[in-house]
Amino acid sequence: MLSMKCKYALKALVVLAAEGTKLPSSAIAQKARVPAKFLEAILTDLRKADALTSERGAHGGHKLKGSPEKIMLGHVVRAMDGMLAPIPCASTFYYKKCDDCTDEKICVIRHAMTEVRNKIAEVLDSMSLEDLVNMSPKKKQQLFW
Amino acid sequence: MLSMKCKYALKALVVLAAEGTKLPSSAIAQKARVPAKFLEAILTDLRKADALTSERGAHGGHKLKGSPEKIMLGHVVRAMDGMLAPIPCASTFYYKKCDDCTDEKICVIRHAMTEVRNKIAEVLDSMSLEDLVNMSPKKKQQLFW
DNA sequence: ATTAATTCATATAAATTCAATAGGAATTGA
DNA sequence: TCAATTCCTATTGAATTTATATGAATTAAT
């Protein structure tokens, strides 16, 4: 399951990708329909994840860091929610050994979940913010949801 | 993320599939290395999910319902954790509308997550308990993890 | 210099979910 | 009657999620 945080993060980034300009968090919150104060915290995390840059003060705001086609969904989801894999032992970026496993090399649960994690990563690591923006038939009107 | 409950359920079912016989929950707990009392509750859920049958009293126990190749991982995971999809609006079995979405038909987040959900379902709905058992190189020794 | 708009940092809180454990009732076979 | 078992209900502690609140720091415009 994606957390709300992660979903909001994706929506915020889609807004920024579509807009192309610097936007204050209040404007993003409105366009993405996301709780304003919660979004503030999320934007900070996204900045730490190198997905955007922020400017403080009057006329400040947030802007995508780099072009939308270079920011992959997998990167965002990992930054917000951690591993893509269903269980830690099947994760490549967040691997962690199971307590109830003696020989993870042969663990059949792990084998199965590694297949799942690879499929998830395949999709999310090949899909960019630009892909998301282009996906909408109404992108001219900036309606993505 | 799979819950512990779901992981334990899968391990219990693999034990039952490999064994082929009726087993008391205490024996399953030991072989699967799962907390005994927690497992009891899980086995009840698995019975309700039609994955096994239970007999009470002395010499009672739990037995797979049907053959291992007919019990799919997707069925088990859904029964334990609910939807496979990353977000409810992308689920086919547990669909639920988003509050922050006006037109889900065009929602780009939903489109992306539907792709993910389809990949996950593809894997889990085509993999059976028998596949899991056969996956282990050490299945003769009944060591699966 | 003051003010308004903004990000940033920290603390808090309510609600929910997770991962169990406890105790005992009901059932069954010996 | 006894021992082994499933089944049922309740509880609990911990962690996580989803926020909200407050105010400090920064910046541009007047």
Side-chain angles (χ1 to χ4, degrees):
Chain A
M1 266 281 274
L2 284 198
S3 65
M4 282 301 124
K5 177 183 170 180
C6 185
K7 189 188 175 192
Y8 293 163
L10 290 171
K11 292 181 72 175
L13 290 172
V14 166
V15 165
L16 285 173
E19 217 79 5
T21 63
K22 179 176 61 180
L23 284 177
S25 75
S26 57
I28 302 173
Q30 188 207 311
K31 288 177 195 262
R33 280 214 226 85
V34 156
K37 205 59 185 162
F38 193 15
L39 180 63
E40 265 190 48
I42 293 168
L43 290 169
T44 296
D45 285 344
L46 287 173
R47 180 172 45 76
K48 285 177 186 160
D50 242 27
L52 48 79
T53 56
S54 309
E55 282 173 34
R56 310 177 77 173
H59 299 341
H62 307 271
K63 193 166 179 279
L64 270 202
K65 185 170 183 177
S67 51
E69 82 263 17
K70 291 232 193 74
I71 302 178
M72 297 301 170
L73 300 203
H75 179 69
V76 177
V77 172
R78 285 194 194 89
M80 297 297 108
D81 284 357
M83 68 184 178
L84 303 184
I87 44 178
C89 67
S91 171
T92 67
F93 283 53
Y94 297 83
Y95 169 83
K96 192 168 170 298
K97 188 183 163 307
C98 300
D99 289 333
D100 53 335
C101 228
T102 48
D103 189 355
E104 49 186 1
K105 299 279 193 310
I106 65 159
C107 176
V108 297
I109 310 288
R110 183 177 182 237
H111 284 331
M113 294 309 153
T114 298
E115 274 196 53
V116 174
R117 113 86 221 187
N118 286 340
K119 294 292 187 180
I120 297 173
E122 221 170 81
V123 175
L124 293 180
D125 285 336
S126 69
M127 194 177 287
S128 69
L129 290 182
E130 193 185 40
D131 294 331
L132 273 196
V133 171
N134 289 335
M135 212 172 256
S136 168
K138 303 200 182 163
K139 66 170 168 160
K140 285 279 168 52
Q141 308 157 246
Q142 243 85 307
L143 287 176
F144 301 109
W145 39 77
Chain B
M1 265 282 276
L2 283 197
S3 64
M4 283 300 124
K5 177 182 170 182
C6 186
K7 188 187 175 191
Y8 292 163
L10 289 171
K11 293 182 71 174
L13 290 172
V14 166
V15 165
L16 284 172
E19 216 80 4
T21 63
K22 179 176 60 182
L23 284 177
S25 74
S26 57
I28 302 173
Q30 188 207 313
K31 289 178 195 259
R33 280 213 227 85
V34 157
K37 203 63 182 161
F38 194 14
L39 180 63
E40 264 188 49
I42 291 167
L43 291 169
T44 296
D45 285 345
L46 286 173
R47 181 172 46 75
K48 286 176 184 160
D50 242 29
L52 48 79
T53 56
S54 311
E55 282 173 34
R56 311 177 77 172
H59 300 341
H62 306 272
K63 195 168 179 272
L64 270 201
K65 184 170 182 178
S67 52
E69 80 264 18
K70 291 231 194 73
I71 303 178
M72 297 300 170
L73 300 203
H75 179 70
V76 177
V77 173
R78 284 193 194 91
M80 296 297 108
D81 283 358
M83 66 183 181
L84 304 183
I87 44 178
C89 66
S91 171
T92 67
F93 283 51
Y94 297 83
Y95 169 82
K96 194 167 169 298
K97 186 184 164 305
C98 302
D99 289 334
D100 53 334
C101 229
T102 48
D103 189 356
E104 50 187 358
K105 300 279 193 310
I106 65 159
C107 176
V108 297
I109 310 288
R110 183 176 183 237
H111 284 331
M113 294 309 154
T114 299
E115 273 196 54
V116 174
R117 114 85 221 189
N118 286 340
K119 293 293 186 180
I120 297 173
E122 220 171 80
V123 175
L124 294 179
D125 285 335
S126 70
M127 193 176 288
S128 69
L129 289 182
E130 194 185 39
D131 294 331
L132 274 195
V133 170
N134 288 336
M135 213 172 254
S136 169
K138 301 199 181 163
K139 66 170 170 162
K140 284 281 167 49
Q141 306 155 245
Q142 244 85 310
L143 288 176
F144 301 107
W145 40 74

